[in-house]
Amino acid sequence: QVQLVESGGGSVQAGGSLRLSCQASGSIYSDRFMAWFRQAPGKKREWVANIYTTGGVTLHADSVKGRFTITQDYAKNTLYLQMNTLKPEDTAMYYCAATGLTGFGSRPLRSSTQYNYWGQGTQVTVSS
């Protein structure tokens, strides 16, 4: 079982930046997708970005492309989300997620139902 713990959320004004972290433990970090999702009150959980851990190939949602960047420190089993030029509509609970062991060909993996393991979330609030 993969255990995930997010950190780095907080409050920031529009145009600011935050970096979220997700520490993974409990299982092998390689050969799976790691992802960030977000969910605002009353809205469906939204995929933000993912990375295939073996090799580090990434995908980003159109809504955040050019502003957010998913990265990892493979040796530390840590996932990051660098968020720049934040907007009020980015306000949400941000969740780290991981699939089970899988191959790269299972992309794009943009649905929350495709992820087996979840952190408890970290709140990001962006004020105008």
Side-chain angles (χ1 to χ4, degrees), residues 52-69:
Y52 191 64
T53 56
T54 306
V57 177
T58 64
L59 284 174
H60 296 80
D62 289 344
S63 60
V64 305
K65 191 174 182 180
R67 298 188 298 120
F68 293 8
T69 305

PDB file of all heavy atoms in Angstrom, residues 52-69:
ATOM      1  N   TYR A  52       4.712   9.948 -14.942  1.00  0.00           N
ATOM      2  CA  TYR A  52       5.070   8.538 -14.837  1.00  0.00           C
ATOM      3  C   TYR A  52       6.414   8.469 -14.132  1.00  0.00           C
ATOM      4  O   TYR A  52       7.399   9.035 -14.593  1.00  0.00           O
ATOM      5  CB  TYR A  52       5.130   7.869 -16.206  1.00  0.00           C
ATOM      6  CG  TYR A  52       5.242   6.370 -16.111  1.00  0.00           C
ATOM      7  CD1 TYR A  52       4.210   5.617 -15.559  1.00  0.00           C
ATOM      8  CD2 TYR A  52       6.384   5.702 -16.538  1.00  0.00           C
ATOM      9  CE1 TYR A  52       4.305   4.241 -15.445  1.00  0.00           C
ATOM     10  CE2 TYR A  52       6.490   4.328 -16.430  1.00  0.00           C
ATOM     11  CZ  TYR A  52       5.449   3.607 -15.882  1.00  0.00           C
ATOM     12  OH  TYR A  52       5.545   2.236 -15.773  1.00  0.00           O
ATOM     13  N   THR A  53       6.436   7.774 -13.012  1.00  0.00           N
ATOM     14  CA  THR A  53       7.599   7.862 -12.134  1.00  0.00           C
ATOM     15  C   THR A  53       8.883   7.345 -12.766  1.00  0.00           C
ATOM     16  O   THR A  53       9.958   7.884 -12.505  1.00  0.00           O
ATOM     17  CB  THR A  53       7.337   7.118 -10.821  1.00  0.00           C
ATOM     18  OG1 THR A  53       6.968   5.763 -11.102  1.00  0.00           O
ATOM     19  CG2 THR A  53       6.225   7.795 -10.033  1.00  0.00           C
ATOM     20  N   THR A  54       8.764   6.318 -13.577  1.00  0.00           N
ATOM     21  CA  THR A  54       9.940   5.767 -14.245  1.00  0.00           C
ATOM     22  C   THR A  54      10.186   6.537 -15.540  1.00  0.00           C
ATOM     23  O   THR A  54       9.559   6.270 -16.559  1.00  0.00           O
ATOM     24  CB  THR A  54       9.757   4.277 -14.518  1.00  0.00           C
ATOM     25  OG1 THR A  54       9.421   3.604 -13.304  1.00  0.00           O
ATOM     26  CG2 THR A  54      11.037   3.678 -15.099  1.00  0.00           C
ATOM     27  N   GLY A  55      11.059   7.501 -15.469  1.00  0.00           N
ATOM     28  CA  GLY A  55      11.387   8.332 -16.617  1.00  0.00           C
ATOM     29  C   GLY A  55      10.909   9.759 -16.515  1.00  0.00           C
ATOM     30  O   GLY A  55      11.489  10.646 -17.161  1.00  0.00           O
ATOM     31  N   GLY A  56       9.863  10.008 -15.733  1.00  0.00           N
ATOM     32  CA  GLY A  56       9.456  11.373 -15.446  1.00  0.00           C
ATOM     33  C   GLY A  56       8.681  12.094 -16.535  1.00  0.00           C
ATOM     34  O   GLY A  56       8.654  13.333 -16.543  1.00  0.00           O
ATOM     35  N   VAL A  57       8.025  11.379 -17.441  1.00  0.00           N
ATOM     36  CA  VAL A  57       7.210  12.021 -18.466  1.00  0.00           C
ATOM     37  C   VAL A  57       5.943  12.580 -17.833  1.00  0.00           C
ATOM     38  O   VAL A  57       5.284  11.903 -17.048  1.00  0.00           O
ATOM     39  CB  VAL A  57       6.862  11.035 -19.588  1.00  0.00           C
ATOM     40  CG1 VAL A  57       5.948  11.692 -20.617  1.00  0.00           C
ATOM     41  CG2 VAL A  57       8.134  10.534 -20.257  1.00  0.00           C
ATOM     42  N   THR A  58       5.592  13.811 -18.182  1.00  0.00           N
ATOM     43  CA  THR A  58       4.492  14.522 -17.533  1.00  0.00           C
ATOM     44  C   THR A  58       3.369  14.877 -18.496  1.00  0.00           C
ATOM     45  O   THR A  58       3.554  14.949 -19.712  1.00  0.00           O
ATOM     46  CB  THR A  58       4.996  15.818 -16.887  1.00  0.00           C
ATOM     47  OG1 THR A  58       5.480  16.706 -17.901  1.00  0.00           O
ATOM     48  CG2 THR A  58       6.109  15.539 -15.888  1.00  0.00           C
ATOM     49  N   LEU A  59       2.190  15.109 -17.918  1.00  0.00           N
ATOM     50  CA  LEU A  59       1.040  15.689 -18.595  1.00  0.00           C
ATOM     51  C   LEU A  59       0.438  16.743 -17.686  1.00  0.00           C
ATOM     52  O   LEU A  59       0.412  16.579 -16.466  1.00  0.00           O
ATOM     53  CB  LEU A  59      -0.031  14.642 -18.899  1.00  0.00           C
ATOM     54  CG  LEU A  59       0.176  13.672 -20.048  1.00  0.00           C
ATOM     55  CD1 LEU A  59      -0.961  12.652 -20.053  1.00  0.00           C
ATOM     56  CD2 LEU A  59       0.227  14.404 -21.368  1.00  0.00           C
ATOM     57  N   HIS A  60      -0.070  17.817 -18.291  1.00  0.00           N
ATOM     58  CA  HIS A  60      -0.722  18.879 -17.542  1.00  0.00           C
ATOM     59  C   HIS A  60      -2.064  19.200 -18.174  1.00  0.00           C
ATOM     60  O   HIS A  60      -2.199  19.202 -19.404  1.00  0.00           O
ATOM     61  CB  HIS A  60       0.130  20.149 -17.520  1.00  0.00           C
ATOM     62  CG  HIS A  60       1.438  19.989 -16.805  1.00  0.00           C
ATOM     63  ND1 HIS A  60       2.533  19.403 -17.390  1.00  0.00           N
ATOM     64  CD2 HIS A  60       1.812  20.329 -15.543  1.00  0.00           C
ATOM     65  CE1 HIS A  60       3.535  19.389 -16.535  1.00  0.00           C
ATOM     66  NE2 HIS A  60       3.129  19.945 -15.405  1.00  0.00           N
ATOM     67  N   ALA A  61      -3.049  19.469 -17.334  1.00  0.00           N
ATOM     68  CA  ALA A  61      -4.354  19.878 -17.827  1.00  0.00           C
ATOM     69  C   ALA A  61      -4.257  21.226 -18.522  1.00  0.00           C
ATOM     70  O   ALA A  61      -3.439  22.083 -18.158  1.00  0.00           O
ATOM     71  CB  ALA A  61      -5.344  19.958 -16.671  1.00  0.00           C
ATOM     72  N   ASP A  62      -5.113  21.421 -19.529  1.00  0.00           N
ATOM     73  CA  ASP A  62      -5.104  22.683 -20.260  1.00  0.00           C
ATOM     74  C   ASP A  62      -5.324  23.885 -19.340  1.00  0.00           C
ATOM     75  O   ASP A  62      -4.771  24.964 -19.581  1.00  0.00           O
ATOM     76  CB  ASP A  62      -6.171  22.670 -21.351  1.00  0.00           C
ATOM     77  CG  ASP A  62      -5.824  21.746 -22.493  1.00  0.00           C
ATOM     78  OD1 ASP A  62      -4.657  21.336 -22.618  1.00  0.00           O
ATOM     79  OD2 ASP A  62      -6.741  21.425 -23.277  1.00  0.00           O
ATOM     80  N   SER A  63      -6.112  23.693 -18.301  1.00  0.00           N
ATOM     81  CA  SER A  63      -6.444  24.797 -17.413  1.00  0.00           C
ATOM     82  C   SER A  63      -5.248  25.323 -16.623  1.00  0.00           C
ATOM     83  O   SER A  63      -5.285  26.453 -16.136  1.00  0.00           O
ATOM     84  CB  SER A  63      -7.552  24.380 -16.445  1.00  0.00           C
ATOM     85  OG  SER A  63      -7.143  23.277 -15.656  1.00  0.00           O
ATOM     86  N   VAL A  64      -4.200  24.518 -16.498  1.00  0.00           N
ATOM     87  CA  VAL A  64      -3.032  24.932 -15.725  1.00  0.00           C
ATOM     88  C   VAL A  64      -1.751  24.952 -16.542  1.00  0.00           C
ATOM     89  O   VAL A  64      -0.708  25.395 -16.037  1.00  0.00           O
ATOM     90  CB  VAL A  64      -2.832  24.044 -14.484  1.00  0.00           C
ATOM     91  CG1 VAL A  64      -4.085  24.026 -13.626  1.00  0.00           C
ATOM     92  CG2 VAL A  64      -2.416  22.628 -14.875  1.00  0.00           C
ATOM     93  N   LYS A  65      -1.821  24.505 -17.769  1.00  0.00           N
ATOM     94  CA  LYS A  65      -0.633  24.426 -18.608  1.00  0.00           C
ATOM     95  C   LYS A  65       0.005  25.807 -18.757  1.00  0.00           C
ATOM     96  O   LYS A  65      -0.671  26.786 -19.049  1.00  0.00           O
ATOM     97  CB  LYS A  65      -0.998  23.854 -19.969  1.00  0.00           C
ATOM     98  CG  LYS A  65       0.192  23.486 -20.835  1.00  0.00           C
ATOM     99  CD  LYS A  65      -0.271  22.794 -22.100  1.00  0.00           C
ATOM    100  CE  LYS A  65       0.897  22.374 -22.964  1.00  0.00           C
ATOM    101  NZ  LYS A  65       0.435  21.702 -24.202  1.00  0.00           N
ATOM    102  N   GLY A  66       1.309  25.862 -18.546  1.00  0.00           N
ATOM    103  CA  GLY A  66       2.029  27.122 -18.608  1.00  0.00           C
ATOM    104  C   GLY A  66       2.142  27.838 -17.284  1.00  0.00           C
ATOM    105  O   GLY A  66       2.953  28.768 -17.154  1.00  0.00           O
ATOM    106  N   ARG A  67       1.334  27.427 -16.295  1.00  0.00           N
ATOM    107  CA  ARG A  67       1.389  28.037 -14.968  1.00  0.00           C
ATOM    108  C   ARG A  67       1.853  27.050 -13.898  1.00  0.00           C
ATOM    109  O   ARG A  67       2.586  27.428 -12.989  1.00  0.00           O
ATOM    110  CB  ARG A  67       0.026  28.592 -14.569  1.00  0.00           C
ATOM    111  CG  ARG A  67      -0.485  29.691 -15.491  1.00  0.00           C
ATOM    112  CD  ARG A  67      -1.754  30.334 -14.927  1.00  0.00           C
ATOM    113  NE  ARG A  67      -2.843  29.371 -14.801  1.00  0.00           N
ATOM    114  CZ  ARG A  67      -3.451  29.061 -13.660  1.00  0.00           C
ATOM    115  NH1 ARG A  67      -3.088  29.646 -12.524  1.00  0.00           N
ATOM    116  NH2 ARG A  67      -4.446  28.183 -13.650  1.00  0.00           N
ATOM    117  N   PHE A  68       1.394  25.803 -13.998  1.00  0.00           N
ATOM    118  CA  PHE A  68       1.742  24.771 -13.023  1.00  0.00           C
ATOM    119  C   PHE A  68       2.715  23.785 -13.654  1.00  0.00           C
ATOM    120  O   PHE A  68       2.628  23.492 -14.854  1.00  0.00           O
ATOM    121  CB  PHE A  68       0.510  23.984 -12.573  1.00  0.00           C
ATOM    122  CG  PHE A  68      -0.510  24.755 -11.780  1.00  0.00           C
ATOM    123  CD1 PHE A  68      -0.426  26.125 -11.603  1.00  0.00           C
ATOM    124  CD2 PHE A  68      -1.574  24.071 -11.210  1.00  0.00           C
ATOM    125  CE1 PHE A  68      -1.381  26.820 -10.872  1.00  0.00           C
ATOM    126  CE2 PHE A  68      -2.536  24.748 -10.476  1.00  0.00           C
ATOM    127  CZ  PHE A  68      -2.439  26.116 -10.307  1.00  0.00           C
ATOM    128  N   THR A  69       3.604  23.244 -12.835  1.00  0.00           N
ATOM    129  CA  THR A  69       4.554  22.245 -13.301  1.00  0.00           C
ATOM    130  C   THR A  69       4.670  21.122 -12.283  1.00  0.00           C
ATOM    131  O   THR A  69       4.978  21.369 -11.112  1.00  0.00           O
ATOM    132  CB  THR A  69       5.940  22.857 -13.536  1.00  0.00           C
ATOM    133  OG1 THR A  69       5.838  23.967 -14.432  1.00  0.00           O
ATOM    134  CG2 THR A  69       6.879  21.821 -14.146  1.00  0.00           C
TER     135      THR A  69
END
